[in-house]
Amino acid sequence: MTLHWLKGDSPARLGLAVSRKVDTHAVGRNRIKRVLRDATRHLRAGMAGGDYVVVARSAAKLASNRQIREAFERLLRRAGALPAVVADGTMPPREGNEPSSSLNAPGTLPGRAEPAC
């Protein structure tokens, strides 16, 4: 797929180009357009404003609906039209750079054993 994006202040608008070179059957071309319209409807709230034109390529004919949707989302993220995905971990971020002192005895450094005398 190819994305052409004209940034603007208006809400996101979508134009689709799926030629007969992509799929000779209208049913196949309509499926690709339907999947892209549905993906846009779900992503529109997070999309930057402007006019988008998506040109489908012949690989879309063999791709599943999920693959088309994922490729479209990757394309939008790469262009900067959608915010990048932030990988949230399962642990909350630590506040400050100091190590937690609740597990260590006062006056000891984490990772260092006290000499046994």
Side-chain angles (χ1 to χ4, degrees):
M1 274 188 268
T2 305
L3 175 69
H4 302 277
W5 176 28
L6 179 63
K7 297 178 184 177
D9 295 332
S10 63
R13 297 189 309 168
L14 178 69
L16 299 170
V18 184
S19 72
R20 281 189 301 219
K21 288 183 180 180
V22 174
D23 194 344
T24 56
H25 301 288
V27 173
R29 293 192 305 271
N30 290 337
R31 175 186 71 90
I32 295 167
K33 290 187 277 188
R34 184 178 63 247
V35 170
L36 290 171
R37 278 193 304 265
D38 185 55
T40 303
R41 186 171 59 247
H42 287 97
L43 296 172
R44 185 167 293 178
M47 290 172 64
D51 298 329
Y52 298 85
V53 176
V54 177
V55 180
R57 299 288 180 217
S58 57
K61 175 183 179 179
L62 302 175
S64 69
N65 293 354
R66 183 177 185 171
Q67 289 172 327
I68 293 171
R69 185 181 306 263
E70 289 172 354
F72 179 57
E73 189 173 339
R74 270 195 318 272
L75 191 62
L76 289 172
R77 289 194 195 285
R78 193 171 53 203
L82 280 177
V85 176
V86 178
D88 291 334
T90 57
M91 298 293 292
R94 287 177 37 178
E95 295 181 20
N97 292 333
E98 298 176 16
S100 176
S101 61
S102 62
L103 299 176
N104 299 317
T108 63
L109 296 174
R112 299 192 89 175
E114 299 231 351
C117 295

